[in-house]
Amino acid sequence: MSVQERKERERAGRERLIVATAREIAEQQGWDAVTTRQLAERIEYSQPVLYSHFRGKREIIGAVALEGAAEMAAALRAAASSAADGPRERVATLARTYLDFAERNPAVYDAMFQLDGGLAFADEDTPEPLKDAFAALLESLGEVAGDGVHPGLFTEVFWASLHGLATLTRAGRLPPEDTEPRVELLVDRLAMV
């Protein structure tokens, strides 16, 4: 291994450590607690080292969002492939998996959809992990969109519904014990399968 390869590997390792530590702090204390000073202390690197990887908190949020999008895509695909009871069950399983991901990873979910991570959405510059998370929904929802309904638009409406349920439940606006009846209603009315 060359010196350059070793340095690149070490740099990638530091970057993963910064992102993982930011995630950990955000999940425990919220995003307001994630500062370059706090991160530098926690990972035992100087603030200039952090700035050599990320220009600031916004880019760190973006990195967490991309990591979260990849995790969400993997979870959605795994759930869809395990739901072998037909399209309706696959759609319901996708909805439950999405809501479970949002509940179990609130800071990551915020980085993905609530906070400014400097990432483009619905644009040609949208990073691949974000496109892939949407594609993980589209792959299963396209078949239930219905005649004459654009699968991408259908997926956007389904996603928006799930996002609304996730954020309203987390904010205490909707009682969490009614999540399953909401999923069933969403699947019955929107997916109509």
Side-chain angles (χ1 to χ4, degrees), residues 51-97:
Y51 285 116
S52 74
H53 291 275
F54 299 99
R55 284 182 270 171
K57 184 175 177 176
R58 182 178 186 220
E59 284 189 4
I60 294 169
I61 290 169
V64 170
L66 294 176
E67 190 174 89
E71 291 170 10
M72 178 181 272
L76 291 170
R77 284 193 176 98
S81 69
S82 70
D85 295 338
R88 187 193 185 289
E89 187 53 37
R90 196 165 35 258
V91 171
T93 298
L94 279 177
R96 289 183 198 105
T97 300

Side-chain angles (χ1 to χ4, degrees), residues 83-157:
D85 295 338
R88 187 193 185 289
E89 187 53 37
R90 196 165 35 258
V91 171
T93 298
L94 279 177
R96 289 183 198 105
T97 300
Y98 183 99
L99 294 172
D100 182 59
F101 181 90
E103 182 183 351
R104 285 184 299 104
N105 304 283
V108 172
Y109 191 81
D110 284 349
M112 292 168 66
F113 301 120
Q114 303 287 97
L115 302 174
D116 179 10
L119 304 173
F121 282 81
D123 189 80
E124 62 185 45
D125 293 334
T126 300
E128 201 54 45
L130 298 178
K131 289 179 184 178
D132 192 47
F134 184 79
L137 286 172
L138 180 62
E139 289 161 8
S140 290
L141 296 174
E143 70 180 299
V144 299
D147 292 337
V149 178
H150 188 281
L153 293 177
F154 179 82
T155 302
E156 288 173 353
V157 171

